[in-house]
Amino acid sequence: MTNSDFDAYRPPEQPRRKRRRDRLSGAASDMLRRRRRGGDDGGREMSMVDDVEFTSYYGRPIVKAAPWGDEISAYLFLGGVAGGSGLLAFGAQMFDLDDLRRNARFAALGAVGAGTVCLIADLGRPERFLNMMRTVKPTSPMSWGTWILSVYGTLTGIAAASEADDALGEVLPLGPLRPMLRTAADTSGVAMGFLGAPLAAYTAALLSMTSTPTWAGARRGLPYLFVSSATAAASGLAMITTGSEQTKPARLLAITGAAGELIAMDLMKKDMHPLEREPLEIEEPGRKLKLAHALTIAGGVGTLLFGKRSRILAAASGAALMAGSALTRFGVVEAGHLSTTDPKYVVGPQRDRLEERRAAGIVDDSITTAG
């Protein structure tokens, strides 16, 4: 039967095929019948999927944790000691404090050497370190750090060689090269003083430029924390190795560094999002940073009260400052790893920053920035 004259021009329709119903198991058939009847509870639909809470794809972390272990934490600490010792040696050179200058230069050489070993151990093969020196990449903290570490290590070696020659009574067969070594050592000492702070600070930039939530959230305050902690640790080591009659610059720097470390940590936390700050205060990283806080206070107060009066108490205060500095590095690194384990540390701060952008009238895009 046609409804209009045009229907006669339509091609004949093919007969419809009957749909083949797959045979269902007894349990599935019963469930289907219950759904058609409205379910056992009288509702029209029955949920086939349990309620779930979104975390991340297949339960995997949103941000991949940096593959850095304790070797890198030790490297961060030793690099800070090396940089702070270079700065202290430069000050001792300016004020003719021979014992302090010699011990600080030896400390810088030992710290930069041990730190390089830790870095190579983390890389796995020594040639990987050499590969990083094939180019200079201004936008890469790793590239900058590699060159700073290499140049600083060379300068420290020259300065320490001159100190070793003096300590051994000029028995090394240097001949006419000895005056040249003295001049090179003085120049190297000045350069060490200028490169000490960048050596201690670049590691903070290395951490904060990653996508790790806690490290990225601490990018404004982390360099100040690391530099202050480095000066406190280097000064503490000088108080252990040098008599109190020549450690006045070290004691002043130790007190300043300890106070700076405490203030920098407090300001850094206040500047961070609460979820980015949380890993610094919980579990193992939180325990280490609390102990570092207590040791830094004890070392600073001990230096202030007893640094000049007692060599033993001065050395104990220096050891406390060094231990506090090391725990600060280990705690910050472990807090960063912890912040990658839960998606809330990634999603929460981004969501809040997006809401802040919208509240400020920035509605032309939906990009969530890190700033």
Side-chain angles (χ1 to χ4, degrees), residues 20 33 36 44 98 131 204 217 224 251 273:
R20 178 178 175 274
R33 286 196 296 270
R36 289 174 177 173
R44 299 197 55 176
D98 297 338
N131 288 338
Y224 299 101
R251 295 196 302 270
H273 187 279

Side-chain angles (χ1 to χ4, degrees), residues 10 37 71-73 77 81 84 130 140 167 199 201 217 220 225 232 244-245 251-252 284 308 329 334:
R10 293 179 178 178
R37 292 196 304 265
E71 295 86 355
I72 291 298
S73 300
F77 166 69
V81 172
L130 299 176
S140 172
L199 178 62
R220 294 188 183 92
L225 175 64
S244 57
E245 63 277 0
R251 295 196 302 270
L252 294 176
E284 188 63 22
K308 186 178 179 180
R329 300 302 202 284
E334 292 177 11

Side-chain angles (χ1 to χ4, degrees), residues 215-353:
W215 296 343
R219 63 190 178 280
R220 294 188 183 92
L222 199 58
Y224 299 101
L225 175 64
F226 275 16
V227 171
S228 299
S229 177
T231 55
S235 301
L237 181 57
M239 291 162 56
I240 295 174
T241 59
T242 310
S244 57
E245 63 277 0
Q246 288 200 7
T247 57
K248 182 177 181 179
R251 295 196 302 270
L252 294 176
L253 196 61
I255 296 171
T256 304
E261 182 176 353
L262 298 174
I263 295 173
M265 176 66 80
D266 185 63
L267 294 178
M268 183 185 74
K269 286 184 175 181
K270 290 181 179 179
D271 187 58
M272 298 171 67
H273 187 279
L275 287 176
E276 295 170 338
R277 181 175 64 243
E278 183 177 302
L280 295 169
E281 301 172 341
I282 62 174
E283 298 186 18
E284 188 63 22
R287 288 189 287 270
K288 288 183 178 179
L289 290 174
K290 288 179 181 178
L291 181 57
H293 183 84
L295 288 171
T296 301
I297 293 177
V301 173
T303 301
L304 179 64
L305 298 179
F306 309 108
K308 186 178 179 180
R309 301 177 183 178
S310 171
R311 175 71 184 274
I312 296 177
L313 293 179
S317 300
L321 290 174
M322 292 188 67
S325 178
L327 287 172
T328 296
R329 300 302 202 284
F330 277 81
V332 168
V333 171
E334 292 177 11
H337 293 326
L338 180 60
S339 69
T340 64
T341 60
D342 195 326
K344 71 178 182 179
Y345 297 128
V346 181
V347 178
Q350 291 182 351
R351 185 178 298 162
D352 291 344
R353 281 192 282 265

